[in-house]
Structure formats: C-alpha cells, structure tokens
Amino acid sequence: MNLLALTAAATEAVAESATDTALIEGTILLGVATLFVMLFRRLGLGAVLGYLIAGALVGPHGLGLVGGAESKLAFAEIGIAFLLFLVGLELHPRRLWELRRAIFGLGLAQVVVTGLVLTALIFATLGFSWQAALALGLPLALSSTAQVLPSLKATGRINSPFGERAFSILLFQDLAIVPMITIVAALSRAPASVDAPPGWQMALTTVAAIVALVFAGRFVVNPLLRLVGRYGERELFVVVGLLSVLASATFMHSLHLSTALGAFIAGVMLADSPYRHEIEADVEPFRLVLLGLFFLAVGMVLDIDAVLARPLLVLALAAGLVVTKVVVLTLIVRAFGKPWSVALGLGLLLSQGGEFGFLLFGQAADALLIAPEAASLFSAVVTLSMMSTPFLMLFARNLEFSPGSEDILLDDPGKAPRGSAIVVGYGRFGQIVAQMLHAVDCSVTLIDKKPSQIELSGRFDTKVYYGDGLRTDVLRRAGADEAKLIIFCTDDRSIDAEALRPIVDAFPQAKLLTRVFDRRQLMAIDGAGASGAVREVFESSVALGLLALEQLDVDRREIEDVEAALRHLDAMRLDAQMSQGDLAAGLDHRFQPGGSREGTSILERLREKRRAAKLAKEEAEAAG
C-alpha cells in the first residue's frame, strides 16, 4: 500500500513538474517571440525572421531557457498542414487540374535539376561519397513552404500567375518527399528493417491515400458540414475544420507520408463547399499560432556550436546554397519561356532550404549515409538560408511587380488618355465611384498598385494602370495637371495630411476627395486641403439602420427625422473632435440608451418644423 502511494505521489510530482515546465517555457517562448516579431515588423523584415532569431536565442544552443526543440518542431509541423489545408480551400479541383503542367513540368524540372546540381557540387567540393552527396543534395533542392506561401497569401498574390508558379513548384516538392525517402532507403548502409516497405509500395500507398482522402472529403466531410450548417453553431464548424485537418494529417502520417500533402488534398476537396469560408475563418487562427511555433522551433534546433566551430564554412555553404538555387531556378523558368524578371523573382523567392530538409537529413544519418555532425551542419545551413529569405523576398516582389514582368500587362499611367478624374484604387469601393462617374460621361483614369487587381479588372474589360497614386510623379504622368478630380479609394489607413498635402499643392486646380477608414483617419487628414472625405462604413451603417427602423414599422416621416437628427449630431461631434483634436470630445452629441437630451431636442425641432410646414401647406390650399 505504501509502495502504491509513493508511486502515485511520484507520478503526480512528475506530472506537476511537466506542467510547470510547459507553462514556464510557453511564457518564455511567447514573450520573447512577441518582442522580436514586433521589432522585426518595425524594421520591415517580417515576422518569420523574428521567430527564427527568438528561437535561436532561447533554445538549447542559445541561452538554454527552453528545451525539447526536436519535439516542439515535430508538433509545430502541424502548422504547415494547416497552411496547406487553407491553400487547398482556395483551389477548386478544376483550377488544380489547370495547373498540372506547371506542377509536373516546372516543379519536376526544379526538383530534379536543382537536386542533381547541388549533389554534384557537394560531391566535388566537400569530399562526400556520391551516395552521401545525393542524400544531401536532393533535400537541399526543396524550399520552405512555411515561409513562401504565407507571404503570397498575405499579399493576395497566391492566385496571380507568379504566385501560381511558385505554388506549383512547392506542391511538387511536397510530392517529391516520398521518392526522396525511397532513394535514401535504397542507398542505406544500415541493416535493412523488416518492417520497411519497398519504394514501389510507398508510391502505390501514396496514390491510394490520395484517392481515399478524395472520397472522404466528398462523401463524409461535405455531408457532415451540411448537417452542421443546419444547427448554425460556430463551435461545430471549428470542430469540423480542425477534425478535417488533423484527421487527414494523421492518416497520412500513419502511412509515413507527407502530412502537409494530406491536409492539402482535404482542403481541395472542400474548395467547392458552400461552407468553405466559415471553415477558413475558423482554422486561420490555429494556422497562425502553429506556424509561429514552427519557426520558433526551427530557430531552437539551430546548432549554434556547429556554426561557431566553423563559421566561415557554414556561412559559405548557406550563401552557396542560395546562389546556386537562384541561378538554377532562374535558368529553368527562363527555359520555360518566362521573362528574365519573372525567372529571377521566382529564383529569389524559392532560394532557401526547406523544413523537410531536417527530416531527410535525420533519415540520411539513420541510414549511415552521413555522420550526425554532417546532419547538424546542413540543418544549420538550411536555417541560415531561411533567415535570408525576408531580405530576398523584397527583391523578388520588386521583380514580380516590374512592368512587363508577368502575363499581366502592367501599363504605366503615362499611357493613359487624359481624363477629367483620376481614381486611385480600383477595389470594391473604387469600382462604385468609377461607375457613377461613367454614368455622367466623365472620362476616368484608373490607377492601382496591385497586379492581381489589375489582372482581375482586365478580365472584365476594364483598363487599370499600374502605379502608386500617392506619388506626385505617377499622378502627373496620369494627367493630374489637367484633371478636375483626384479621388483616393484605397483601403489604406496610413494616409494622412502629410501624404495628401504635396498632392494638393502640386495640382491646385484638382479637387481632392478621399476615402477614410474612421474618425481617427478623418482627423489625421485634417488640414491637408482635401475637398471632401467619406468614412467608408458610415453611409452603409446609416442605410442598414434605416432598414432596421422600417422592419420595426416606424413611421416613414419619423425615420426621415431620425436620419436627419443623426447626421446633425454626427456633424456636431466631428466638429468638436476636429477643433479639440480629441476623440473623446462631443460625446453628448449622440443618441444614447434611455434617451438623449440633445438628440430628443433636435428630433422635436424637426417634428415641429414638419408640422409647421404641413400647416402652412394646408392654409395655402385653403386660401387657394
């Protein structure tokens, strides 16, 4: 009895200690990650580099504040599965079929050619056997899905021609993991495992698994979503979304296949579901958190001792990897008939090593093809190459957006015919404004700086010119010297008086109108000389409020009085805020629960005015 009690007490103590460790490590990781991500965001270098540096700092090879890097990395790889699931949700199966040539043409060429070139360089310069060089060169040909795809999604470029090519290459790289595992197993010098399946069996298993996921998505998950939709409970959508990702990833993992590929297939199967938007919104927060943890773990596994022991070699290998991949992929894309700018942009974007390299290096070490020290060295090389990606992405984006760089024709505003109005930003807001101008035969020049929006507009026979409308030189080329109106319809909360004042001064004959997000931005542009500004949600909010009053069967004339009173109060409040420079000013100028003395007074005046007008009309009719 005493022995059982001691065992139970020891087990409880171990569990309590593990809980304490998890809480402390979690607090440290999140705290340091928050600090570094904010810092690197402020510097314009992106969140990924902040996560990597934070992980390296607190990890076992840094300050040693957090341990268990490998286990955290294995867990955090679920974040990649979430990422591929969300990408799959945006790709209808028909669209995926349309990309088959890019996937199995450009993707295959990148993996094979880059892998063989890297293998040859490693064999010729580092003294490895050809088997070891192949086990290292092929994984190094892979790129980081976890770094590249979030960047493409965040900027809306995932569905542009440039983004689709990058995605096609990354998708084929995920498919190539199984053949690479098979090659490493075939070259293995370790005693053969009885349980290890042959390569042909793994290939057939992959195809069968994909088919099984397709059927599960169509005949299990979609009917389940329809059932959940009847209840309308958001919690159930969250549960089904998580279940779809984790079940597909678990299924593929149990077959020793790519979990990310399984999650992607599951996403594609739900792409035509009417509930895909709900699932996407519910799964996205988990993806963000887990991907952040993944990059923290990648930073933690960076063997700083291996770097410090041979810093010049590690830096040279990382630089050589990036340069080689840039050169090879640029030439491959150019061979597929794409412009040099597009080819170089893709080369820079996919020049880093990939997260699956860590897995394949470990398998190569287990197969006795390379020493554990070599696996650690090349893992450090991959990590350092990933750290260079945020910088290279800046150059890649400039090349992607350069005129003539894509299938989209990005014409300069200087080619636009001179119009009476210039509309900057042709999204949903700008489209409505432009239509109203067209209705009175006003000639309009449209400018936008998003190639994806320009491409979409082109599909509907609308010519939009590429440029940053906040630059006076761009506006001048667009004919702002002769324009009567310059209208900013962009969803840009950073526009303030400092940004608009040079435009007002440069083109004094043109009236400047702008869209603003809220009262804060309206106050921020005060003094710029703009002729007018519209808060983007104010009018639509008033319209919905009027509709709500109609549904409550409020008298039509009463509704008109409420609208007039609301606009009057809002104008008074804005005047107070502008004059005092304080958002808290004018709080009395609004309707409040239980009634508002000022609001009630305005309504009474309006009612009295309406009664007086009615009485005057009746008297006039009687006199007549």
Side-chain angles (χ1 to χ4, degrees), residues 51 147 157 181 192 348 352 363 386 390 495 502 590 599:
Y51 282 123
Q147 270 190 299
R157 295 178 288 156
I181 292 174
L348 291 170
Q352 73 289 123
Q363 290 195 335
M386 293 171 77
I495 294 178
R590 56 177 179 163

Side-chain angles (χ1 to χ4, degrees), residues 155-473:
T155 53
R157 295 178 288 156
I158 188 67
N159 293 318
S160 70
F162 184 93
E164 286 177 346
R165 291 188 190 104
F167 168 74
S168 298
I169 293 172
L170 291 169
L171 180 58
F172 186 85
Q173 289 179 358
D174 278 344
L175 293 171
I177 293 171
V178 172
M180 289 185 184
I181 292 174
T182 304
I183 290 172
V184 170
L187 297 175
S188 175
R189 296 167 182 161
S193 173
V194 178
D195 300 328
W200 63 268
Q201 185 175 331
M202 288 189 68
L204 290 177
T205 302
T206 302
V207 174
I210 291 175
V211 172
L213 287 175
V214 169
F215 276 92
R218 188 168 298 276
F219 298 110
V220 178
V221 182
N222 270 321
L224 181 60
L225 284 173
R226 285 194 291 271
L227 181 62
V228 170
R230 296 175 186 172
Y231 294 100
E233 295 289 342
R234 182 174 180 184
E235 292 82 358
L236 288 176
F237 278 111
V238 176
V239 170
V240 173
L242 293 176
L243 176 64
S244 301
V245 179
L246 296 178
S248 58
T250 301
F251 175 65
M252 297 295 272
H253 181 72
S254 66
L255 299 174
H256 306 287
L257 303 174
S258 169
T259 57
L261 177 61
F264 172 75
I265 297 298
V268 171
M269 289 304 101
L270 298 178
D272 55 357
S273 168
Y275 303 105
R276 76 177 183 89
H277 295 293
E278 286 88 346
I279 297 174
E280 185 174 6
D282 293 334
V283 170
E284 177 72 9
F286 295 95
R287 192 272 297 179
L288 293 172
V289 172
L290 288 170
L291 268 186
L293 179 58
F294 171 79
F295 287 116
L296 280 171
V298 169
M300 289 171 63
V301 299
L302 174 62
D303 191 344
I304 297 178
D305 294 333
V307 176
L308 295 178
R310 292 178 287 182
L312 294 179
L313 175 62
V314 175
L315 291 174
L317 288 175
L321 173 64
V322 170
V323 171
T324 301
K325 294 185 74 171
V326 169
V327 171
V328 173
L329 184 53
T330 298
L331 294 176
I332 291 173
V333 177
R334 187 73 184 98
F336 275 75
K338 303 306 174 186
W340 280 107
S341 54
V342 174
L344 183 56
L346 280 171
L348 291 170
L349 189 68
L350 301 175
S351 60
Q352 73 289 123
E355 51 275 353
F356 290 110
F358 303 120
L359 167 68
L360 292 165
F361 294 150
Q363 290 195 335
D366 293 339
L368 304 182
L369 292 172
I370 59 174
E373 292 78 12
S376 180
L377 173 67
F378 279 93
S379 294
V381 168
V382 169
T383 304
L384 289 178
S385 72
M386 293 171 77
M387 289 182 175
S388 71
T389 301
F391 303 98
L392 297 177
M393 279 183 174
L394 298 177
F395 295 104
R397 189 169 186 184
N398 289 333
L399 289 166
E400 175 193 353
F401 288 173
S402 60
S405 65
E406 264 296 358
D407 297 338
I408 313 168
L409 186 59
L410 301 179
D411 281 339
D412 186 85
K415 298 181 179 181
R418 296 300 177 254
S420 299
I422 297 174
V423 173
V424 179
Y426 197 65
R428 292 172 297 174
F429 198 100
Q431 290 166 20
I432 298 299
V433 173
Q435 284 188 54
M436 297 185 73
L437 294 173
H438 291 317
V440 295
D441 292 326
C442 175
S443 53
V444 182
T445 299
L446 305 172
I447 300 176
D448 204 298
K449 63 180 181 180
K450 294 182 179 178
S452 56
Q453 184 63 51
I454 295 173
E455 179 196 25
L456 180 62
S457 302
R459 294 177 184 174
F460 294 91
D461 297 325
T462 301
K463 183 60 182 177
V464 182
Y465 295 89
Y466 175 73
D468 183 355
L470 286 172
R471 290 173 48 178
T472 55
D473 61 320

